[in-house]
Amino acid sequence: MSKLSGDIWSAPEKLKGEVNTGFWEGSASLSPDGKTIYFSSERQGGLGGKDIYKANLNEEGFWVNCRNLGMEVNTFFDDDAPFMHADGKTLFFCTMGYNSMGYNDIFMTQYHKSDSTWSKPQNLGSPINTPDEDKYFVLNAEGNRGYYSSGRSKGQGLEDIYEIKMPSNFLKPIAVTIKGKATKNGKPIEATIKVEITGAH
């Protein structure tokens, strides 16, 4: 992990805790509150190939309670490239399992906090998915524009980055983005912002 301060990035630091092992780990995505990380791993004990896991950040800065998302999300094939949307419940990932159109397709599932379950993964379909390699999908906070990598034949190379305006009938995640500046005597300062929802809206 590297942190941006102004226009300077800190030296990368290896994440502490249960995330990194002697096996391949990658494609990490943080929850909006920064307390949960979703990542893909080839560690032992998975369903097959790469599986998607989650871990929680404790007060000492260690990632703990690492657990496989299970058969609600993972398959016996490679499951990779998790991306948790800004709404904190909609997870996108790619897999060769389920009803894939090609080598890798992008799917979406939603977390139900009430009973700690995931909805049945849905294939995002055409034109996002193709018979070729499609992966690393991310969606902006508004839910109207996505970006992903695809290995389709008409690209510039083996895999290109594409932008797509999401269809009007796409299930848009609900997220609120708050923007502003914290200043003191007219100069920017670091600040911790706390937002409270005081009633139903």
Side-chain angles (χ1 to χ4, degrees):
M1 178 178 66
S2 179
K3 293 183 178 180
L4 180 66
S5 178
D7 58 355
I8 299 175
W9 289 95
S10 66
E13 297 181 12
K14 186 176 180 179
L15 297 185
K16 301 175 182 178
E18 303 170 11
V19 172
N20 291 311
T21 65
F23 296 90
W24 180 91
E25 272 98 16
S27 305
S29 176
L30 281 175
S31 62
D33 62 7
K35 295 181 180 179
T36 303
I37 190 170
Y38 298 85
F39 65 100
S40 182
S41 175
E42 290 183 331
R43 65 184 63 192
Q44 293 180 337
L47 298 179
K50 299 174 183 176
D51 276 7
I52 297 173
Y53 293 77
K54 66 184 291 188
N56 302 115
L57 185 66
N58 67 14
E59 294 180 355
E60 289 75 38
F62 287 79
W63 293 98
V64 298
N65 300 326
C66 183
R67 53 195 180 276
N68 189 301
L69 295 192
M71 295 189 70
E72 287 182 309
V73 175
N74 291 307
T75 70
F76 296 112
F77 297 90
D78 282 340
D79 308 296
D80 193 10
F83 169 73
M84 175 54 72
H85 186 258
D87 69 353
K89 66 178 184 179
T90 305
L91 181 72
F92 298 92
F93 66 101
C94 72
T95 182
M96 292 185 291
Y98 296 114
N99 55 329
S100 294
M101 297 169 59
Y103 183 70
N104 253 323
D105 276 6
I106 299 163
F107 287 77
M108 177 185 77
T109 179
Q110 291 189 315
Y111 183 69
H112 303 300
K113 190 174 181 179
S114 59
D115 58 2
S116 301
T117 61
W118 294 91
S119 66
K120 183 179 179 180
Q122 299 178 26
N123 190 312
L124 294 192
S126 179
I128 295 176
N129 288 317
T130 69
D132 300 301
E133 182 98 359
D134 305 295
K135 56 187 179 180
Y136 301 120
F137 182 86
V138 298
L139 184 70
N140 66 356
E142 292 78 12
N144 59 10
R145 198 166 296 276
Y147 304 86
Y148 64 106
S149 173
S150 180
R152 58 191 67 189
S153 59
K154 295 183 179 180
Q156 300 295 319
L158 294 178
E159 293 180 12
D160 288 355
I161 298 172
Y162 290 82
E163 176 186 29
I164 184 168
K165 182 178 179 182
M166 301 305 293
S168 58
N169 62 347
F170 179 72
L171 176 62
K172 293 183 179 180
I174 298 174
V176 177
T177 303
I178 300 176
K179 297 181 179 180
K181 295 180 180 179
T183 61
K184 184 177 182 180
N185 299 325
K187 296 182 179 180
I189 60 171
E190 291 188 4
T192 300
I193 308 298
K194 183 178 180 180
V195 178
E196 293 185 3
I197 300 175
T198 57
H201 298 281

